[in-house]
Amino acid sequence: MGPVKSLWAMVQGDPVFMRRVNGWLAVFWILMIPVSLMMGWLNSVVYVSALSLWALVSGHWSAWQAARVEVAQMEDAEKRDKEDLVAEVVAALLARTNVEPAPGESSVFSPR
């Protein structure tokens, strides 16, 4: 069961792969419309039930994926809000340079 879980985790973490799979599944189901009509499968309760179940599962899976993305975006936004990038840059500059006011000036922003 370990390799299956590992493969599933890899597939879930790759948005390009997921986009391709979902694109090809959409093409497959679009091509299945005329096939279903010609074969008369739409008159079959079993076939329509299977399609309904597939629609239900794929809809919930899509919503779950979207919720995962929203949670990750929210966590990134919270992380960025907690970081004080400007203070880190200033501290790094002060540590590497010798910044002092020019002689005779009390402040950089003083009027001349």
Side-chain angles (χ1 to χ4, degrees), residues 8-104:
W8 181 250
M10 182 182 70
V11 166
Q12 290 292 313
D14 187 3
V16 174
F17 177 78
M18 293 301 295
R19 187 179 67 221
R20 287 182 182 157
V21 166
N22 287 322
W24 282 110
L25 284 172
V27 169
F28 171 77
W29 285 112
I30 288 170
L31 294 175
M32 283 299 294
I33 292 170
V35 172
S36 301
L37 287 170
M38 288 187 296
M39 300 295 284
W41 292 342
L42 294 178
N43 296 328
S44 167
V45 173
V46 173
Y47 181 73
V48 173
S49 296
L51 282 179
S52 297
L53 286 173
W54 172 251
L56 183 66
V57 168
S58 65
H60 282 291
W61 189 22
S62 298
W64 175 63
Q65 292 291 337
R68 285 181 53 217
V69 170
E70 288 179 9
V71 167
Q73 288 174 341
M74 186 177 63
E75 288 172 353
D76 286 345
E78 288 175 358
K79 183 178 163 186
R80 270 184 271 126
D81 288 344
K82 289 180 182 177
E83 293 176 351
D84 190 5
L85 186 60
V86 174
E88 291 175 16
V89 169
V90 169
L93 284 173
L94 289 175
R96 292 183 183 176
T97 61
N98 185 10
V99 179
E100 296 177 7

